[in-house]
Amino acid sequence: MSPLGRPRAPRLVRLALAIALALAGVGGAARAADVFSPGDLSRAHAKLSGLDHCTKCHPRGEQLSQARCLECHTELAPRVAQGRGFHGKLAAKDRDCWTCHHEHQGEAAPLVEWGEGGPRRFDHARTGVALGGKHAKVACERCHDPRLVADPAVKELLAKSPRRQTYLGAPALDACARCHFDEHRGQLGPDCVRCHGDAGWKPVPRFDHARTAYPLTGLHARAACAKCHPQVKEPAPGHGALTAPVAADHFTRYRPVAHASCLDCHKDAHEGRFGNACASCHITEGWRKIASSATGGAAGSPGARAFHDRTRYPLLGAHGAVACVSCHGPWKGEPARFKGLPFGACADCHADAHVGQLAGRGAQGAACDRCHTVQGFAPARFGQAEHERTAYPLAGAHRVVACAACHPRDPGLAARVPAPVRAEVERRGLELQISPAVLHLGGDLARCETCHADPHAGQLVRAQGCASCHEASSFRTVRFDHGNDSRFALVGKHARARCASCHRSDPALGGAVRYRPIASACAACHADPHAGQFAAVASAPGVSPEPTTDCTRCHAADDWKKTLFRHEQPFTDYPLTGKHARVACARCHAEVVVAGGAPVRRYRGLPRACAGCHADFHKGAFRGFEPTSLPR
């Protein structure tokens, strides 16, 4: 079969075709094309009709060329190369254009072979984008609309051929606003899929009011949405989407919705007599259900909490949830007391949660409200600015370290509470709350090892400590100079080697990286490619001889293959003269296989006599001949 899906012509017919085309000549090219063309081209390729244009798609002497197709269809070339879209995801064997796009079938013949069922039955997942929900039922042309194309290459193609139909450049499924009108008018941002799915606009299965700034509790959870989110009139909305708005003259207000106070939605039944802090008495479970903190467990009315706001000590923050009996009694052996209670300092009611750790900082330093507020004991109002005024200002990476990393928990601090304080707390029926955080740190805070373990396992102990190499900005930022701070200056290729090439993890140091001592001889790091041929045996009294190789005698650190060796003294006592000087090194120094099967070039133990390398062309005729004995 031909690439166009037509039966190949018999050999004699093809031969006759070639002869006829040759005889037709240039003047008869059009008539030959009419006679021998396999069929008219489609309307899209009509400009390529005629014998003169055949080679634009059919290279001479070759089959149809996919590359020729992509030379014209430039919008497809990058997708195929990058494996994107339907064409890019085809297997290489299926990418021949003519397998799906048949030509020479007539001017009206379609160029796209959709298969059984046509475009509506096309498996959209083959493009890399599977259609689900209501998207699967939408007509193709609704999404493949030229107005939605954003791809520059496809837009350029459509600008040149406005009537051309293409399926390229359609918007991504998560770019909802490209096709759909924003029913929320920009209130909730462009990420529609946070709440909606493709099964339908309603309901919104992914929306959860608990994740908003106002979680719904109690009766609020059963209230109709419209009670808080009203309809807003919009006389003339403008929109650039393909779909029209559901409601053109109004929309639902979702943001902003005032919710800081109950009075934003509810009428004040008390007409301002008790202020606007409704939650100090009421809860969302029902208007008539009064919070226990409002009465403090006493037999009074809900106005007890509001009454305290008119005293010299209004209840603010967490104090509003404290039971009256906690501050006023009665307690064991003492009646209830409502006047003359001290309240000028936190310590008048609260035990020192830090058990004296801050007492040495004076009255001002130990004042609780310096770090804490009435909203709650935690979190503390102590940040970097406050830390700057301590004996250890935070610098560099220390600024982002969690407080607990330096101030660990010590459960034993609770045992330091004085017995009278513990007894008074118990008498009042309160819970003793002690912070387990260690605030007073011992040791010299100017030295890193006071807090940090030594990652070098004692190899680099210095008078200046860690700060001689490291900075507080980052442990990995080091001021170490291998040329000035070590005995082994890095030159040549050593300067470009990775640190880990020489400094490796050492089990003897518990896994720490070995920095010292490090052997500096070449053989300590590099394998001997000469298999010990140049090793010199060094010995000392009482020490076994051990061969060593002085690599630097011939090699430098900048390039291994650039050697200092010369075939003369003092490197060798066999200087090269005459034709020997022009012989390639490998002719005399051949590779040999040593133990383990490794090939090594032989330099030592080579013959020096001529017969060791050269054949005796005299076949022994001059054996024993001594030239020096000839008469002069």
Side-chain angles (χ1 to χ4, degrees), residues 193-253:
V193 296
R194 283 193 307 133
C195 300
H196 299 281
D198 55 10
W201 173 254
K202 291 182 180 181
V204 282
R206 299 171 183 165
F207 174 76
D208 184 358
H209 217 293
R211 296 199 302 268
T212 69
Y214 191 78
L216 300 180
T217 60
L219 294 180
H220 287 161
R222 301 202 295 271
C225 303
K227 296 282 288 185
C228 299
H229 301 286
Q231 298 291 314
V232 179
K233 291 292 184 181
E234 187 177 36
H239 66 89
L242 292 185
T243 58
V246 174
D249 61 342
H250 68 272
F251 65 95
T252 303
R253 169 68 66 193

Short mmCIF file of all heavy atoms in Angstrom, two decimals, residues 193-253:
data_model
loop_
_atom_site.label_atom_id
_atom_site.label_comp_id
_atom_site.label_asym_id
_atom_site.label_seq_id
_atom_site.Cartn_x
_atom_site.Cartn_y
_atom_site.Cartn_z
N VAL A 193 -11.73 26.02 41.30
CA VAL A 193 -11.77 24.61 41.68
C VAL A 193 -11.57 24.42 43.18
O VAL A 193 -11.68 23.30 43.66
CB VAL A 193 -10.70 23.82 40.90
CG1 VAL A 193 -11.01 23.83 39.42
CG2 VAL A 193 -9.31 24.38 41.15
N ARG A 194 -11.26 25.48 43.92
CA ARG A 194 -11.19 25.34 45.38
C ARG A 194 -12.55 24.94 45.94
O ARG A 194 -12.62 24.27 46.97
CB ARG A 194 -10.76 26.65 46.03
CG ARG A 194 -9.28 26.95 45.92
CD ARG A 194 -8.87 28.07 46.82
NE ARG A 194 -9.68 29.25 46.63
CZ ARG A 194 -10.23 29.96 47.61
NH1 ARG A 194 -10.05 29.60 48.87
NH2 ARG A 194 -10.94 31.03 47.36
N CYS A 195 -13.62 25.36 45.29
CA CYS A 195 -14.97 25.07 45.78
C CYS A 195 -15.79 24.23 44.81
O CYS A 195 -16.57 23.38 45.22
CB CYS A 195 -15.72 26.37 46.09
SG CYS A 195 -14.92 27.42 47.33
N HIS A 196 -15.62 24.49 43.51
CA HIS A 196 -16.48 23.87 42.51
C HIS A 196 -15.80 22.69 41.81
O HIS A 196 -14.57 22.65 41.70
CB HIS A 196 -16.89 24.91 41.46
CG HIS A 196 -17.66 26.06 42.02
ND1 HIS A 196 -19.00 25.99 42.32
CD2 HIS A 196 -17.26 27.32 42.37
CE1 HIS A 196 -19.40 27.16 42.80
NE2 HIS A 196 -18.36 27.98 42.85
N GLY A 197 -16.61 21.74 41.34
CA GLY A 197 -16.13 20.64 40.52
C GLY A 197 -16.77 20.72 39.15
O GLY A 197 -17.62 21.58 38.88
N ASP A 198 -16.38 19.82 38.26
CA ASP A 198 -16.92 19.89 36.91
C ASP A 198 -18.25 19.14 36.76
O ASP A 198 -18.80 19.07 35.67
CB ASP A 198 -15.91 19.36 35.89
CG ASP A 198 -15.43 17.95 36.22
OD1 ASP A 198 -16.04 17.32 37.12
OD2 ASP A 198 -14.47 17.49 35.58
N ALA A 199 -18.76 18.60 37.88
CA ALA A 199 -20.05 17.91 37.80
C ALA A 199 -21.19 18.91 37.67
O ALA A 199 -22.28 18.57 37.19
CB ALA A 199 -20.26 17.04 39.04
N GLY A 200 -20.97 20.15 38.11
CA GLY A 200 -22.01 21.15 38.04
C GLY A 200 -21.65 22.33 38.91
O GLY A 200 -20.81 22.23 39.80
N TRP A 201 -22.29 23.51 38.63
CA TRP A 201 -22.02 24.72 39.40
C TRP A 201 -22.45 24.54 40.85
O TRP A 201 -21.79 25.01 41.78
CB TRP A 201 -22.74 25.89 38.75
CG TRP A 201 -22.68 27.16 39.53
CD1 TRP A 201 -23.66 27.73 40.26
CD2 TRP A 201 -21.54 28.02 39.66
NE1 TRP A 201 -23.22 28.89 40.83
CE2 TRP A 201 -21.93 29.10 40.49
CE3 TRP A 201 -20.25 27.99 39.16
CZ2 TRP A 201 -21.07 30.14 40.81
CZ3 TRP A 201 -19.38 29.02 39.50
CH2 TRP A 201 -19.79 30.08 40.31
N LYS A 202 -23.57 23.87 41.06
CA LYS A 202 -24.06 23.58 42.40
C LYS A 202 -24.31 22.08 42.54
O LYS A 202 -24.66 21.43 41.55
CB LYS A 202 -25.37 24.33 42.67
CG LYS A 202 -25.22 25.83 42.77
CD LYS A 202 -26.57 26.48 43.10
CE LYS A 202 -26.45 28.00 43.21
NZ LYS A 202 -27.76 28.61 43.55
N PRO A 203 -24.10 21.52 43.73
CA PRO A 203 -23.59 22.17 44.95
C PRO A 203 -22.08 22.39 44.86
O PRO A 203 -21.46 22.07 43.85
CB PRO A 203 -23.94 21.15 46.04
CG PRO A 203 -23.89 19.84 45.33
CD PRO A 203 -24.39 20.11 43.94
N VAL A 204 -21.50 22.89 45.96
CA VAL A 204 -20.04 23.16 46.00
C VAL A 204 -19.40 22.20 47.00
O VAL A 204 -19.22 22.53 48.16
CB VAL A 204 -19.76 24.63 46.36
CG1 VAL A 204 -19.99 25.52 45.17
CG2 VAL A 204 -20.64 25.08 47.52
N PRO A 205 -19.08 20.98 46.56
CA PRO A 205 -18.63 19.95 47.51
C PRO A 205 -17.29 20.26 48.18
O PRO A 205 -17.00 19.73 49.24
CB PRO A 205 -18.54 18.70 46.63
CG PRO A 205 -18.31 19.21 45.24
CD PRO A 205 -19.07 20.50 45.17
N ARG A 206 -16.47 21.13 47.55
CA ARG A 206 -15.15 21.38 48.11
C ARG A 206 -15.11 22.58 49.07
O ARG A 206 -14.07 22.87 49.63
CB ARG A 206 -14.14 21.62 46.97
CG ARG A 206 -14.02 20.41 46.05
CD ARG A 206 -13.20 20.76 44.83
NE ARG A 206 -13.14 19.63 43.90
CZ ARG A 206 -12.74 19.72 42.64
NH1 ARG A 206 -12.33 20.87 42.16
NH2 ARG A 206 -12.72 18.65 41.86
N PHE A 207 -16.24 23.26 49.21
CA PHE A 207 -16.27 24.40 50.12
C PHE A 207 -16.56 23.95 51.54
O PHE A 207 -17.44 23.13 51.78
CB PHE A 207 -17.32 25.41 49.67
CG PHE A 207 -17.49 26.55 50.63
CD1 PHE A 207 -16.55 27.56 50.68
CD2 PHE A 207 -18.56 26.59 51.51
CE1 PHE A 207 -16.68 28.61 51.58
CE2 PHE A 207 -18.71 27.64 52.40
CZ PHE A 207 -17.77 28.65 52.44
N ASP A 208 -15.80 24.47 52.48
CA ASP A 208 -16.02 24.17 53.90
C ASP A 208 -15.92 25.48 54.66
O ASP A 208 -14.86 26.13 54.70
CB ASP A 208 -14.95 23.19 54.40
CG ASP A 208 -15.18 22.77 55.85
OD1 ASP A 208 -16.14 23.27 56.45
OD2 ASP A 208 -14.39 21.95 56.36
N HIS A 209 -17.00 25.91 55.26
CA HIS A 209 -17.05 27.19 55.98
C HIS A 209 -16.08 27.19 57.17
O HIS A 209 -15.67 28.26 57.64
CB HIS A 209 -18.46 27.47 56.48
CG HIS A 209 -18.84 28.91 56.41
ND1 HIS A 209 -18.26 29.88 57.20
CD2 HIS A 209 -19.74 29.57 55.63
CE1 HIS A 209 -18.78 31.05 56.93
NE2 HIS A 209 -19.68 30.91 55.97
N ALA A 210 -15.70 26.00 57.62
CA ALA A 210 -14.77 25.94 58.75
C ALA A 210 -13.39 26.45 58.37
O ALA A 210 -12.59 26.80 59.26
CB ALA A 210 -14.68 24.50 59.27
N ARG A 211 -13.09 26.46 57.07
CA ARG A 211 -11.78 26.93 56.64
C ARG A 211 -11.78 28.43 56.34
O ARG A 211 -10.75 28.97 55.92
CB ARG A 211 -11.32 26.17 55.39
CG ARG A 211 -11.09 24.68 55.63
CD ARG A 211 -10.21 24.10 54.53
NE ARG A 211 -10.76 24.29 53.20
CZ ARG A 211 -11.55 23.41 52.57
NH1 ARG A 211 -11.86 22.27 53.17
NH2 ARG A 211 -12.00 23.66 51.35
N THR A 212 -12.88 29.11 56.54
CA THR A 212 -12.94 30.55 56.33
C THR A 212 -12.54 31.28 57.61
O THR A 212 -12.24 30.67 58.64
CB THR A 212 -14.37 30.96 55.93
OG1 THR A 212 -15.25 30.79 57.06
CG2 THR A 212 -14.86 30.12 54.76
N ALA A 213 -12.55 32.60 57.52
CA ALA A 213 -12.20 33.41 58.71
C ALA A 213 -13.30 33.37 59.76
O ALA A 213 -13.09 33.82 60.89
CB ALA A 213 -11.94 34.86 58.29
N TYR A 214 -14.46 32.77 59.43
CA TYR A 214 -15.56 32.73 60.39
C TYR A 214 -16.21 31.34 60.35
O TYR A 214 -17.22 31.12 59.67
CB TYR A 214 -16.61 33.80 60.07
CG TYR A 214 -17.62 33.99 61.18
CD1 TYR A 214 -17.29 34.71 62.32
CD2 TYR A 214 -18.89 33.44 61.09
CE1 TYR A 214 -18.21 34.88 63.34
CE2 TYR A 214 -19.83 33.60 62.11
CZ TYR A 214 -19.48 34.33 63.23
OH TYR A 214 -20.39 34.49 64.25
N PRO A 215 -15.66 30.36 61.08
CA PRO A 215 -16.28 29.04 61.13
C PRO A 215 -17.67 29.13 61.77
O PRO A 215 -17.88 29.92 62.72
CB PRO A 215 -15.31 28.23 62.01
CG PRO A 215 -14.03 29.00 62.00
CD PRO A 215 -14.41 30.43 61.86
N LEU A 216 -18.59 28.34 61.25
CA LEU A 216 -19.96 28.36 61.76
C LEU A 216 -20.11 27.35 62.90
O LEU A 216 -19.78 26.18 62.75
CB LEU A 216 -20.94 28.03 60.65
CG LEU A 216 -20.92 28.99 59.44
CD1 LEU A 216 -21.95 28.56 58.41
CD2 LEU A 216 -21.17 30.42 59.89
N THR A 217 -20.61 27.83 64.03
CA THR A 217 -20.87 26.97 65.19
C THR A 217 -22.28 27.19 65.67
O THR A 217 -22.92 28.21 65.36
CB THR A 217 -19.87 27.28 66.32
OG1 THR A 217 -20.02 28.65 66.72
CG2 THR A 217 -18.44 27.04 65.88
N GLY A 218 -22.78 26.24 66.44
CA GLY A 218 -24.10 26.38 67.03
C GLY A 218 -25.19 26.62 66.01
O GLY A 218 -25.23 25.99 64.95
N LEU A 219 -26.09 27.58 66.32
CA LEU A 219 -27.21 27.88 65.42
C LEU A 219 -26.74 28.53 64.13
O LEU A 219 -27.46 28.50 63.13
CB LEU A 219 -28.21 28.79 66.14
CG LEU A 219 -28.95 28.18 67.34
CD1 LEU A 219 -29.91 29.19 67.95
CD2 LEU A 219 -29.71 26.92 66.94
N HIS A 220 -25.53 29.10 64.11
CA HIS A 220 -25.03 29.69 62.87
C HIS A 220 -24.89 28.65 61.78
O HIS A 220 -25.02 28.95 60.59
CB HIS A 220 -23.66 30.35 63.12
CG HIS A 220 -23.75 31.62 63.89
ND1 HIS A 220 -22.68 32.17 64.54
CD2 HIS A 220 -24.81 32.46 64.14
CE1 HIS A 220 -23.05 33.29 65.14
NE2 HIS A 220 -24.34 33.48 64.92
N ALA A 221 -24.60 27.40 62.17
CA ALA A 221 -24.39 26.34 61.19
C ALA A 221 -25.68 25.98 60.47
O ALA A 221 -25.65 25.41 59.38
CB ALA A 221 -23.80 25.11 61.86
N ARG A 222 -26.83 26.31 61.07
CA ARG A 222 -28.11 25.95 60.45
C ARG A 222 -28.77 27.14 59.76
O ARG A 222 -29.84 27.00 59.18
CB ARG A 222 -29.05 25.38 61.51
CG ARG A 222 -28.52 24.14 62.20
CD ARG A 222 -29.63 23.31 62.81
NE ARG A 222 -30.33 23.99 63.89
CZ ARG A 222 -29.97 23.94 65.16
NH1 ARG A 222 -28.90 23.24 65.53
NH2 ARG A 222 -30.66 24.58 66.08
N ALA A 223 -28.16 28.31 59.84
CA ALA A 223 -28.75 29.50 59.22
C ALA A 223 -28.63 29.42 57.71
O ALA A 223 -27.65 28.89 57.17
CB ALA A 223 -28.07 30.76 59.75
N ALA A 224 -29.62 29.96 57.00
CA ALA A 224 -29.57 30.00 55.54
C ALA A 224 -28.44 30.94 55.10
O ALA A 224 -28.20 31.97 55.73
CB ALA A 224 -30.90 30.48 54.99
N CYS A 225 -27.77 30.56 54.01
CA CYS A 225 -26.63 31.36 53.53
C CYS A 225 -27.04 32.81 53.28
O CYS A 225 -26.28 33.75 53.56
CB CYS A 225 -26.07 30.75 52.25
SG CYS A 225 -25.54 29.02 52.43
N ALA A 226 -28.26 33.00 52.72
CA ALA A 226 -28.71 34.33 52.36
C ALA A 226 -28.90 35.24 53.57
O ALA A 226 -28.96 36.46 53.41
CB ALA A 226 -30.01 34.23 51.57
N LYS A 227 -28.97 34.69 54.78
CA LYS A 227 -29.13 35.52 55.97
C LYS A 227 -27.90 36.39 56.18
O LYS A 227 -27.98 37.50 56.70
CB LYS A 227 -29.36 34.63 57.18
CG LYS A 227 -30.65 33.84 57.13
CD LYS A 227 -31.85 34.71 57.49
CE LYS A 227 -31.87 35.05 58.96
NZ LYS A 227 -33.09 35.80 59.33
N CYS A 228 -26.71 35.84 55.80
CA CYS A 228 -25.46 36.60 55.99
C CYS A 228 -24.91 37.11 54.67
O CYS A 228 -24.15 38.10 54.66
CB CYS A 228 -24.41 35.72 56.66
SG CYS A 228 -24.88 35.11 58.29
N HIS A 229 -25.24 36.41 53.58
CA HIS A 229 -24.71 36.78 52.27
C HIS A 229 -25.85 37.28 51.39
O HIS A 229 -26.50 36.50 50.68
CB HIS A 229 -24.02 35.57 51.63
CG HIS A 229 -22.89 35.03 52.44
ND1 HIS A 229 -21.68 35.66 52.55
CD2 HIS A 229 -22.80 33.92 53.23
CE1 HIS A 229 -20.88 34.97 53.35
NE2 HIS A 229 -21.54 33.91 53.78
N PRO A 230 -26.12 38.58 51.40
CA PRO A 230 -27.27 39.11 50.66
C PRO A 230 -27.02 39.23 49.16
O PRO A 230 -25.88 39.11 48.69
CB PRO A 230 -27.44 40.50 51.29
CG PRO A 230 -26.03 40.89 51.67
CD PRO A 230 -25.36 39.60 52.11
N GLN A 231 -28.10 39.48 48.42
CA GLN A 231 -28.01 39.74 46.99
C GLN A 231 -27.70 41.22 46.77
O GLN A 231 -28.27 42.09 47.43
CB GLN A 231 -29.34 39.40 46.30
CG GLN A 231 -29.74 37.94 46.40
CD GLN A 231 -28.82 37.06 45.59
OE1 GLN A 231 -28.51 37.35 44.45
NE2 GLN A 231 -28.37 35.97 46.19
N VAL A 232 -26.75 41.48 45.87
CA VAL A 232 -26.34 42.86 45.59
C VAL A 232 -26.72 43.18 44.14
O VAL A 232 -26.47 42.39 43.23
CB VAL A 232 -24.81 43.03 45.79
CG1 VAL A 232 -24.38 44.46 45.46
CG2 VAL A 232 -24.43 42.68 47.22
N LYS A 233 -27.33 44.33 43.94
CA LYS A 233 -27.76 44.75 42.60
C LYS A 233 -26.54 45.16 41.77
O LYS A 233 -25.61 45.79 42.25
CB LYS A 233 -28.73 45.93 42.70
CG LYS A 233 -30.09 45.57 43.29
CD LYS A 233 -30.87 44.67 42.35
CE LYS A 233 -32.27 44.38 42.90
NZ LYS A 233 -33.01 43.47 41.99
N GLU A 234 -26.58 44.80 40.49
CA GLU A 234 -25.54 45.18 39.54
C GLU A 234 -26.24 45.54 38.24
O GLU A 234 -26.61 44.66 37.45
CB GLU A 234 -24.55 44.04 39.32
CG GLU A 234 -23.36 44.45 38.49
CD GLU A 234 -22.36 43.33 38.35
OE1 GLU A 234 -22.78 42.16 38.27
OE2 GLU A 234 -21.16 43.61 38.32
N PRO A 235 -26.43 46.83 37.99
CA PRO A 235 -27.27 47.24 36.85
C PRO A 235 -26.75 46.77 35.49
O PRO A 235 -27.51 46.24 34.69
CB PRO A 235 -27.24 48.78 36.94
CG PRO A 235 -26.80 49.08 38.33
CD PRO A 235 -25.93 47.95 38.76
N ALA A 236 -25.47 46.96 35.22
CA ALA A 236 -24.96 46.63 33.88
C ALA A 236 -23.61 45.95 33.99
O ALA A 236 -22.56 46.59 33.85
CB ALA A 236 -24.85 47.90 33.04
N PRO A 237 -23.61 44.65 34.27
CA PRO A 237 -22.31 43.97 34.41
C PRO A 237 -21.64 43.78 33.07
O PRO A 237 -22.30 43.52 32.06
CB PRO A 237 -22.70 42.62 35.02
CG PRO A 237 -24.08 42.36 34.51
CD PRO A 237 -24.73 43.73 34.43
N GLY A 238 -20.32 43.94 33.02
CA GLY A 238 -19.57 43.66 31.81
C GLY A 238 -18.83 42.34 31.97
O GLY A 238 -18.39 42.00 33.06
N HIS A 239 -18.72 41.60 30.91
CA HIS A 239 -18.02 40.32 31.02
C HIS A 239 -17.41 39.98 29.67
O HIS A 239 -17.94 40.32 28.62
CB HIS A 239 -18.94 39.21 31.50
CG HIS A 239 -20.02 38.84 30.52
ND1 HIS A 239 -19.86 37.90 29.55
CD2 HIS A 239 -21.27 39.34 30.38
CE1 HIS A 239 -20.98 37.80 28.85
NE2 HIS A 239 -21.86 38.67 29.33
N GLY A 240 -16.24 39.30 29.72
CA GLY A 240 -15.57 38.90 28.49
C GLY A 240 -15.59 37.41 28.28
O GLY A 240 -14.93 36.90 27.38
N ALA A 241 -16.32 36.68 29.11
CA ALA A 241 -16.36 35.22 28.99
C ALA A 241 -17.36 34.82 27.91
O ALA A 241 -18.21 35.61 27.48
CB ALA A 241 -16.75 34.59 30.32
N LEU A 242 -17.27 33.55 27.48
CA LEU A 242 -18.18 33.06 26.45
C LEU A 242 -19.57 32.83 27.01
O LEU A 242 -20.56 32.93 26.27
CB LEU A 242 -17.63 31.76 25.86
CG LEU A 242 -16.34 31.89 25.04
CD1 LEU A 242 -15.99 30.56 24.41
CD2 LEU A 242 -16.49 32.95 23.97
N THR A 243 -19.65 32.49 28.31
CA THR A 243 -20.95 32.22 28.89
C THR A 243 -21.48 33.47 29.57
O THR A 243 -20.73 34.25 30.14
CB THR A 243 -20.87 31.09 29.93
OG1 THR A 243 -19.92 31.46 30.95
CG2 THR A 243 -20.38 29.80 29.29
N ALA A 244 -22.77 33.66 29.50
CA ALA A 244 -23.41 34.81 30.13
C ALA A 244 -23.60 34.53 31.62
O ALA A 244 -23.62 33.38 32.05
CB ALA A 244 -24.76 35.08 29.46
N PRO A 245 -23.71 35.57 32.45
CA PRO A 245 -23.94 35.35 33.88
C PRO A 245 -25.30 34.72 34.14
O PRO A 245 -26.25 34.92 33.37
CB PRO A 245 -23.86 36.76 34.47
CG PRO A 245 -24.15 37.68 33.33
CD PRO A 245 -23.61 36.99 32.11
N VAL A 246 -25.39 33.95 35.22
CA VAL A 246 -26.67 33.34 35.60
C VAL A 246 -27.68 34.43 35.92
O VAL A 246 -28.84 34.37 35.52
CB VAL A 246 -26.46 32.38 36.80
CG1 VAL A 246 -27.81 31.87 37.29
CG2 VAL A 246 -25.56 31.23 36.39
N ALA A 247 -27.21 35.43 36.68
CA ALA A 247 -28.06 36.57 37.00
C ALA A 247 -27.32 37.82 36.57
O ALA A 247 -26.27 38.14 37.13
CB ALA A 247 -28.38 36.61 38.49
N ALA A 248 -27.85 38.51 35.59
CA ALA A 248 -27.13 39.65 35.02
C ALA A 248 -27.24 40.90 35.88
O ALA A 248 -26.39 41.77 35.80
CB ALA A 248 -27.67 39.94 33.61
N ASP A 249 -28.28 41.01 36.72
CA ASP A 249 -28.50 42.27 37.44
C ASP A 249 -28.18 42.18 38.92
O ASP A 249 -28.36 43.15 39.66
CB ASP A 249 -29.96 42.70 37.26
CG ASP A 249 -30.93 41.67 37.82
OD1 ASP A 249 -30.51 40.50 38.02
OD2 ASP A 249 -32.10 42.01 38.05
N HIS A 250 -27.72 41.01 39.41
CA HIS A 250 -27.38 40.93 40.83
C HIS A 250 -26.41 39.77 41.06
O HIS A 250 -26.23 38.91 40.21
CB HIS A 250 -28.64 40.74 41.68
CG HIS A 250 -29.30 39.41 41.48
ND1 HIS A 250 -30.24 39.20 40.49
CD2 HIS A 250 -29.14 38.22 42.12
CE1 HIS A 250 -30.64 37.94 40.53
NE2 HIS A 250 -29.99 37.32 41.51
N PHE A 251 -25.78 39.79 42.21
CA PHE A 251 -24.89 38.70 42.61
C PHE A 251 -24.90 38.61 44.13
O PHE A 251 -25.38 39.52 44.81
CB PHE A 251 -23.47 38.93 42.09
CG PHE A 251 -22.78 40.13 42.68
CD1 PHE A 251 -21.94 40.00 43.77
CD2 PHE A 251 -22.97 41.39 42.13
CE1 PHE A 251 -21.31 41.11 44.32
CE2 PHE A 251 -22.34 42.50 42.67
CZ PHE A 251 -21.50 42.36 43.76
N THR A 252 -24.38 37.50 44.64
CA THR A 252 -24.35 37.27 46.09
C THR A 252 -23.07 37.86 46.68
O THR A 252 -21.98 37.62 46.16
CB THR A 252 -24.41 35.77 46.41
OG1 THR A 252 -25.60 35.23 45.82
CG2 THR A 252 -24.42 35.53 47.90
N ARG A 253 -23.20 38.63 47.75
CA ARG A 253 -22.05 39.22 48.41
C ARG A 253 -21.42 38.20 49.37
O ARG A 253 -22.06 37.75 50.31
CB ARG A 253 -22.48 40.47 49.19
CG ARG A 253 -21.42 41.03 50.14
CD ARG A 253 -20.24 41.60 49.39
NE ARG A 253 -20.61 42.77 48.62
CZ ARG A 253 -19.83 43.30 47.69
NH1 ARG A 253 -18.67 42.74 47.40
NH2 ARG A 253 -20.22 44.38 47.00
#
